[in-house]
Amino acid sequence: MTRTLLAAASAVALLALGACGDGGGGGSQAARSGIWAAGSSTVFPFATRVAENFSRTAGGAAPRVESLGTGGGIKAFCQGVGPTTPDIANASRPMKASEFAECQKNGVTDIVEIKIGYDGIVVATARNGGSFDLRLQDLYLALAKEVPGQGDAFAANPATSWNQVNPALPAQRIQVYGPPPTSGTRDAFLELGMAPGAERIAAMAALKGSDKDRFETLAHTLREDNVWIDSGENDNAIVQTLTRTPGSLGVFGFSFLEQNMDTVKAETIDGVAPSVETIADGSYPLARSLYIYVKKQHVGVIPGLEQFVMEFMSEASAGRGGYLQDRGLVPLPAGELAAQRAIANALTPMQAPAN
């Protein structure tokens, strides 16, 4: 089907949804001319910057960008096709198989997955605080709700200070501010930090071999005794909390670190500090990819959507030295950026995720 025919078919579908008054969004279908992107708080400043530039050059209604967390953005995106649902879901992790299935069930059948660049999850302290050289296993031993106890049993985590976890760490209380369960940053922290750290503990490594589901539950469940503190979707709020709470640590995206170097500092993980170079080459253990998901059925119906996506992936935006790098995005290598730009240009739908 040509792009013109696709646009016409999409327009008919959207008009039909509007006439029915139910596009999966649970409300009446009012007409919408501006682009709508929702999701990750980490991707939010990048999407906002693209929206600002797009508005200046393209004119028309300014794109609407919302910070709902990755899970919240994908949930809204997958509610259906029509003007009461977002055109783009911003995500700091890949879409899950369960989310993809929910999209399909609600008629969102053509989803374009585009990797926009890299980011790192940092564990940071106030600039005037003590220094930590954290190991991945320290994250698990400090922050897991349950840890290995006597024999084969697991018990509530008894650690209250960092030196109880690792004698090389400061003798100060464990208090970590981080994102809530709806956040892709939290999902990535569990996958990249907590689970690999748990595998370094002999009892947990053995458990993974015998009961993978039980291992994942224990490795991915954070403490609920005011040691790990959910701090909302606004990473800037976590940054501000560190300066007001001496001795505390925070978990947030690298881009927010770069914007606040005068007040906070990142701690090393396994001896590696987060930087553009260590995130791009993968040597920093908590490096991750960032994505946008585009609802192809809205292309040609929502004015400027296709052009907005191409602005996001342009050399001036996502390329090395582009304006998103100034905001803290770690650019894709040239070859990978070209491949992702080709997906965006062709609007190639993704396949169902395996996870």
Side-chain angles (χ1 to χ4, degrees), residues 16 30 90-91 132 141 155 174 219 224 238 240 282 301 320 339:
N90 300 326
F132 291 70
L141 291 172
I174 304 171
E224 300 170 347
I238 299 176
Q240 293 163 15
V301 181
R320 188 163 299 278

Side-chain angles (χ1 to χ4, degrees), residues 126 177 231 235-246 248-249:
Y177 293 87
S231 303
D235 286 5
N236 272 322
I238 299 176
V239 171
Q240 293 163 15
T241 297
L242 297 184
T243 62
R244 298 193 301 263
T245 312
S248 63
L249 280 72

